[in-house]
Amino acid sequence: CPRDELIGTEAFYASIISLPFYTDMTEEECRHVTGLLRDFFRYHLSNIHAAIGSVQIKRFPEIAQKRRALAQTFRQLTQGLGDRLDYLRIHEGFVPFMNCANIRHGRRDALRGFLEKKGIQTGIHWTPGHHFSLFKDCPRDELIGTEAFYASIISLPFYTDMTEEECRHVTGLLRDFFR
C-alpha cells in the first residue's frame, strides 16, 4: 500500500496532530495512537469491495462537494429551529458522512416516531461504551453528560445522491414537528 510509505514519517505525525481531534496531543501521544491505528487498518478487501472503492475514490471530489452542500442545505433550511435542533459541528475540511443533530427538550424519540410515520428513517449511531455488555459491570462515575448526549442524538437521512427536493421534504417535516 503506498500509504504505508507515509505512515510513521514526520509529515504523517504533523498531519495527524493538525487535525481538530488531536490538537491537544503531544507528539509522543500522537505516535502511540497512530501506531495503534496502523495495527488495526484493514488492508484486505474482497475483489468486489476493491472494485467499488477504486471507482468511488475517483469520484471523491464530486462526493465531497455534494455532501458538504447537502449538510449546508439541511442547516439553512432548519435555521429557525436552533433552540430545538442543533447539528453537530462539521470541521473545516471534513466531509460529512452522517447528518447528526441533538434534539433538545427530551423530544428525540417523539421526533423519531413522527418521522417514521411519515416514512422517514432515522438512526442512533452512537451508543456510550458503558451500555455495551462488556463494560456494563465496570465501575464508573455518573456519566450525566454522556447520558444526556445519548438521549438527544439522532442521525437524519443523508446520502450522496439525496436531492434538494428530498432534503426540503425532510426539513419541512422537522419544521412541522417543532411547530
Side-chain angles (χ1 to χ4, degrees), residues 32-57:
H32 176 71
V33 168
T34 54
L36 292 174
L37 291 175
R38 180 181 181 186
D39 291 342
F40 291 101
F41 282 146
R42 293 185 60 201
Y43 290 109
H44 60 281
L45 294 171
S46 69
N47 288 344
I48 190 71
H49 288 120
I52 291 169
S54 295
V55 171
Q56 291 295 84
I57 200 75

Side-chain angles (χ1 to χ4, degrees), residues 80-94:
L81 302 177
D83 62 330
R84 293 158 280 181
L85 178 147
D86 183 31
Y87 291 99
L88 298 188
R89 191 172 100 209
I90 298 171
H91 294 279
E92 187 176 329
F94 282 9

Side-chain angles (χ1 to χ4, degrees), residues 71-85:
Q72 187 61 33
T73 300
F74 261 95
R75 283 150 177 76
Q76 288 172 345
L77 293 175
T78 54
Q79 199 168 14
L81 302 177
D83 62 330
R84 293 158 280 181
L85 178 147

